[in-house]
Amino acid sequence: MELLLTKNIKKGKPSLNLREYEKAGGYQALRKALKIKPDTIISDVEKSGLKGRGGAGFNTGKKWSFVPMGSDAPKEKYLIANADEMEPGTFKDRLLMEGDPHQFIEGMIISAYAIQATTAYIFLRWAYKTAALKLRTAISEAEEAGYLGKNILKSGFSLTIHMHVSAGRYMCGEETGLLNALEGKRAIPRSKPPYPQVSGLFGKPTVVDNVETLCNIPHIINGGAEWYKSLSRTADGGTKLYGVSGRVKNPGCWELPMGITLREVFNDYAGGMKEGYTFRGLLPGGASTFFMVDEHMDINLDFTEPQKAGVRLGTGTMIVLDDKTCPVGFLHNLEKFFAQESCGWCTPCRDGLPWVQRILQALEEGKGENDDLDTLAFNTRYMAPGHTYCALAPGAMQPLESALKYFREDFMNHITRKKCPWRENHV
């Protein structure tokens, strides 16, 4: 398989500096892109089948096409790289930023040119200290080489990239909450419409894209839309970073063809379960996705096929549940995080998530009651999509809803035995 995103990333080796990146073919895509009309780039990215790698899976070129263009469009536009990787179990963007920072910067420059944005921001997770250092160095090197700043490579296009280190809240990863945070306001979601592509940062047209998404752009420019699309096994184009964490033999993160099956990732790359542990299920895309179990093993992992089975790919970074981990305790840990990270802007999320967290804690402490499962199920409907301002609470309910379906007996045992059976049996 041809590596794109990770071809310059070698385990135990430092990331490439500017000269090394150029020697490996870096910034040739930028030179090529600056000779292409912006609307052609947008069209090619749309045709490539690249979908947003942050979890939503919306066609990237289509998203860009909503930005006003032409002489009547606002002169100030913004591109924002969402590098606030706070999704539990997700670590793919960190790999790209630390391993090949110039690839990321080149992707940002081309993307900004495509939508004619003259200012860009990297909204970075506060804990990513190494990534911040490497990105600042890469930005400085790119400026000195003429790839950033005024009149880039004498093309007439100018771009400034600023680094913004997040205050460290999960809500900042939601694109409109991110915009508010970048403006110095409370990180709460905005009502849509208007969408950021029309009225975003400071009321100007804005595109917010995930780090992995942006890193794909130079490769689409170099290879072409059809070539990029052909790398996938399904209609969604390109390659994808898939990760696995938990009690597997080989936890890690790999670049693989988009649409590879869950069975292949789990067995061939993660190596299956460690000796002494049995697979019960996994969350396929960070914490805010539905559980996938044995019946889902042959699903193609793209942004389309899992939905047909009632599940969702999300970020593609899997958290594995084994037979020696209590599902109720597993869920309690996740829901405690989501409750803590709620911005409190809407009632279902503000009140519902702590309510769920308290019920799960009571079950773990042997204080569960017979109607608790009905109350938990009610909350999965109460915080379903369309009932909240953003996707935080609906995402938090996906692991709970599917756990009640697949691990209901574990929940019932907590109630009938007035204790956590897992602690009794495995500690």
Side-chain angles (χ1 to χ4, degrees):
M1 195 213 92
E2 186 170 1
L3 295 178
L4 307 181
L5 307 179
T6 59
K7 66 178 182 179
N8 295 329
I9 302 175
K10 309 298 181 184
K11 188 174 182 179
K13 300 289 186 180
S15 58
L16 302 185
N17 61 30
L18 176 64
R19 299 306 168 209
E20 292 168 335
Y21 182 69
E22 289 175 324
K23 188 176 180 179
Y27 290 108
Q28 290 304 310
L30 174 60
R31 293 178 183 276
K32 183 177 179 180
L34 292 173
K35 298 175 183 178
I36 303 173
K37 291 182 179 180
D39 58 350
T40 301
I41 294 177
I42 292 174
S43 177
D44 285 346
V45 171
E46 182 175 352
K47 291 175 184 175
S48 75
L50 172 65
K51 292 186 176 180
R53 304 302 202 236
F58 191 80
N59 184 287
T60 302
K62 175 66 72 175
K63 181 179 181 179
W64 292 1
S65 72
F66 299 144
V67 176
M69 301 291 281
S71 58
D72 295 333
K75 298 302 179 185
E76 190 66 43
K77 300 177 188 177
Y78 296 99
L79 172 74
I80 301 174
N82 187 346
D84 194 57
E85 193 171 42
M86 285 278 288
E87 179 70 18
T90 301
F91 44 85
K92 63 184 181 63
D93 294 341
R94 175 185 176 185
L95 173 68
L96 295 172
M97 290 185 288
E98 293 183 1
D100 198 0
H102 276 289
Q103 173 184 238
F104 174 39
I105 298 302
E106 184 177 14
M108 287 190 69
I109 301 169
I110 297 171
S111 302
Y113 171 73
I115 65 170
Q116 292 292 281
T118 55
T119 304
Y121 289 89
I122 300 173
F123 194 94
L124 184 69
R125 179 178 176 177
W126 70 273
Y128 283 2
K129 309 291 187 184
T130 300
L133 178 63
K134 293 193 175 187
L135 288 172
R136 287 193 175 100
T137 300
I139 290 170
S140 178
E141 289 178 335
E143 289 173 341
E144 291 178 8
Y147 298 129
L148 275 173
K150 293 184 178 180
N151 194 22
I152 296 172
L153 299 177
K154 299 180 181 180
S155 66
F157 174 68
S158 302
L159 178 68
T160 302
I161 295 181
H162 301 283
M163 178 84 73
H164 179 91
V165 178
S166 166
R169 293 306 302 269
Y170 181 67
M171 184 61 210
C172 292
E174 195 277 335
E175 67 172 2
T176 60
L178 181 156
L179 294 175
N180 280 331
L182 201 51
E183 291 179 0
K185 301 172 184 175
R186 178 180 169 189
I188 56 175
R190 299 179 180 180
S191 297
K192 302 176 187 178
Y195 291 91
Q197 294 94 320
V198 175
S199 179
L201 187 66
F202 306 120
K204 301 297 183 180
T206 304
V207 164
V208 182
D209 275 328
N210 171 260
V211 171
E212 185 185 352
T213 307
L214 294 165
C215 287
N216 278 277
I217 301 303
H219 305 290
I220 295 172
I221 298 299
N222 277 330
E226 291 304 318
W227 166 81
Y228 180 82
K229 196 168 186 177
S230 72
L231 299 176
S232 170
R233 296 186 184 179
T234 63
D236 296 349
T239 61
K240 175 81 183 73
L241 293 186
Y242 296 94
V244 180
S245 60
R247 287 178 171 135
V248 292
K249 293 177 181 176
N250 183 34
C253 186
W254 311 273
E255 182 181 1
L256 302 168
M258 175 65 83
I260 192 171
T261 65
L262 174 56
R263 187 180 304 280
E264 289 174 278
V265 177
F266 186 78
N267 290 333
D268 298 346
Y269 293 91
M273 299 301 295
K274 286 183 178 179
E275 297 299 328
Y277 295 93
T278 301
F279 174 78
R280 295 202 67 189
L282 59 78
L283 299 174
S288 55
T289 48
F290 295 104
F291 271 100
M292 297 177 78
V293 293
D294 285 324
E295 67 187 63
H296 300 117
M297 277 293 179
D298 294 311
I299 288 178
N300 296 101
L301 295 176
D302 65 4
F303 292 106
T304 305
E305 294 302 312
Q307 293 183 4
K308 297 177 182 178
V311 292
R312 194 170 65 86
L313 176 63
T315 61
T317 49
M318 308 165 201
I319 307 172
V320 176
L321 173 68
D322 61 80
D323 64 325
K324 296 182 181 178
T325 298
C326 173
V328 178
F330 185 101
L331 263 295
H332 177 243
N333 185 48
L334 292 182
E335 300 303 340
K336 183 178 180 180
F337 168 82
F338 288 124
Q340 175 180 296
E341 294 298 326
S342 170
C343 74
W345 189 237
C346 55
T347 302
C349 186
R350 181 191 66 229
D351 295 347
L353 290 177
W355 188 7
V356 166
Q357 186 264 323
R358 288 193 298 269
I359 292 173
L360 292 171
Q361 182 173 342
L363 289 170
E364 276 289 273
E365 294 175 349
K367 301 175 183 177
E369 300 177 356
N370 289 331
D371 60 354
D372 281 347
L373 301 194
D374 291 335
T375 304
L376 290 174
F378 163 78
N379 271 286
T380 65
R381 300 187 297 272
Y382 177 61
M383 290 181 273
H387 295 179
T388 58
Y389 272 101
C390 79
L392 192 157
M397 290 300 96
Q398 289 185 8
L400 176 60
E401 180 182 343
S402 51
L404 288 170
K405 175 182 178 181
Y406 296 117
F407 313 122
R408 192 174 188 86
E409 184 177 349
D410 294 273
F411 285 85
M412 289 300 302
N413 284 339
H414 280 70
I415 296 171
T416 58
R417 299 174 66 172
K418 295 298 181 183
K419 64 177 68 175
C420 173
W422 179 87
R423 294 181 186 178
E424 180 182 48
N425 297 331
H426 297 287
V427 177

